[in-house]
Amino acid sequence: MTTRPLPWTPPNTEDAEALPVGTWWDAVRAAPTVGERALELLGDETGAVIQDKHGPLYWLVAVGSATSWHLRQVRVLTELTDERTYLGVPPISRTEGPGIHWRVPLSAEHYLTDAVKLWGALAEADRAELGPVPQGRQTCYRCQLPTDEPVIIAIEHSGSVASATIYACPSHARDHPRDAVAQAAARRRALDRGRVR
């Protein structure tokens, strides 16, 4: 049996090290709830995954393969024109927490994740965890700031007037109890829009 060499290994052997993205790989960061569901959906098709001490998951992807993505609770880390972006990378031997570690250990079989498959898993996880994606920027009911990642948290119903939809930014949506009627209505509207297009 022949062991394939890794195309890249972390240079650090003692502690986590900040390494530049865009050199060997880009990284896709997902918040814990979305990331955990996406990891489940990917199964054996995932590449190596880093988890930091606060819970977000980071997938390594080919440089430039995810730069145009826009998903709630997901950020693409890539080299910018005017500055470097860094990712904390643990030693290859650190496969358990607490602290930053390889959630899916780096190996010849688990290195870069296919960007198309990762997008699909993250998009499905986004819809499952946060509901349908509203169109455009909305104002969070709690912090009163505009958000490009609105989450529908409630629909105010009234007998004679049209309903009002209440939105939250992803961080405040977690604090709001789920409204089953609002989620069902939002899904119905999303399906109806899909049929029209």
Side-chain angles (χ1 to χ4, degrees):
M1 180 173 158
T2 311
T3 305
R4 291 186 307 173
L6 284 168
W8 169 85
T9 55
N12 47 337
T13 57
E14 299 298 319
D15 202 3
E17 182 177 352
L19 296 176
V21 296
T23 303
W24 305 282
W25 32 256
D26 283 347
V28 176
R29 177 193 184 276
T33 53
V34 171
E36 291 293 339
R37 186 175 287 251
L39 191 58
E40 264 182 46
L41 292 168
L42 283 168
D44 289 337
E45 293 185 322
T46 189
V49 179
I50 296 171
Q51 186 166 24
D52 77 19
K53 66 181 180 178
H54 303 292
L57 300 173
Y58 297 82
W59 279 266
L60 305 181
V61 295
V63 174
S65 63
T67 53
S68 63
W69 290 12
H70 181 74
L71 291 167
R72 295 174 292 181
Q73 305 251 309
V74 173
R75 296 289 175 268
V76 177
L77 306 178
T78 188
E79 184 176 24
L80 303 173
T81 309
D82 55 348
E83 64 183 59
R84 296 299 303 237
T85 304
Y86 293 85
L87 174 67
V89 177
I92 199 166
S93 60
R94 189 176 299 165
T95 57
E96 293 182 3
I100 190 169
H101 63 282
W102 291 98
R103 174 69 180 271
V104 176
L106 180 68
S107 68
E109 291 76 32
H110 296 284
Y111 176 48
L112 298 180
T113 300
D114 179 279
V116 173
K117 291 177 182 174
L118 179 58
W119 162 264
L122 287 169
E124 187 174 332
D126 172 280
R127 286 187 301 274
E129 292 297 321
L130 303 173
V133 180
Q135 298 299 313
R137 182 177 252 201
Q138 302 294 334
T139 301
C140 173
Y141 84 101
R142 179 124 179 244
C143 63
Q144 294 298 303
L145 295 173
T147 177
D148 290 325
E149 301 179 330
V151 177
I152 297 172
I153 56 167
I155 296 178
E156 292 181 346
H157 306 281
S158 67
S160 61
V161 183
S163 304
T165 305
I166 300 172
Y167 301 93
C169 60
S171 59
H172 288 128
R174 290 189 298 260
D175 301 334
H176 197 277
R178 297 273 180 169
D179 179 347
V181 174
Q183 289 179 322
R187 283 191 185 95
R188 172 57 45 207
R189 281 196 309 276
L191 284 172
D192 290 343
R193 282 189 198 119
R195 287 189 195 124
V196 172
R197 287 183 186 173

